[in-house]
């Protein structure tokens, strides 16, 4: 799970740097008994991209999260920019 969490944050920030033209990005990680929640927001430009390549970018994140039984939500923010929200089950691990 920790490797997946790292990769989600890494890929999200890479996408911000490469595609968003953002001036700020924030990362919030919330560790709870039942899940690890990750939130990455930016204030850039959310633009549509061509069909994703398997194993890369947002699709790769979704594959990793799904493999662990988690949830992933990505998309433009109503205030502008883009958001990545992931929740990974911890199965009670401390």
């Amino acid at each position: 799970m920790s490797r997946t969490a790292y990769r989600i944050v890494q890929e999200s920030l890479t996408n911000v740097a490469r595609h968003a033209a953002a001036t700020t990005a924030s990362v919030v990680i919330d560790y709870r008994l039942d899940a690890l929640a990750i939130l990455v927001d930016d204030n850039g430009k959310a633009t549509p991209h061509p069909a994703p390549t398997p194993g890369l970018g947002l699709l790769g994140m979704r594959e990793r999260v799904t493999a662990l039984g988690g949830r992933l939500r990505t998309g433009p923010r109503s205030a502008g920019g883009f958001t990545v929200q992931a929740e990974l089950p911890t199965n009670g691990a401390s």
Side-chain angles (χ1 to χ4, degrees):
M1 176 193 55
S2 60
R3 190 172 294 160
T4 297
Y6 173 84
R7 290 291 295 141
I8 289 167
V9 172
Q10 180 185 44
E11 184 62 36
S12 296
L13 293 176
T14 297
N15 287 345
V16 170
R18 287 186 181 167
H19 307 295
T23 57
T24 64
S26 65
V27 177
V28 177
I29 298 174
D30 181 23
Y31 186 83
R32 302 184 304 261
L33 185 58
D34 63 335
L36 177 73
I38 301 166
L39 173 65
V40 181
D41 286 330
D42 71 62
N43 70 345
K45 298 176 183 163
T47 57
H49 292 284
T53 304
L56 302 174
L58 297 176
L59 184 57
M61 277 190 250
R62 187 164 309 282
E63 290 171 352
R64 286 181 178 93
V65 170
T66 301
L68 293 174
R71 295 182 298 198
L72 180 72
R73 187 179 83 71
T74 63
R77 296 176 354 146
S78 60
F82 198 80
T83 190
V84 174
Q85 297 177 339
E87 190 168 293
L88 305 172
T90 61
N91 300 320
S94 52

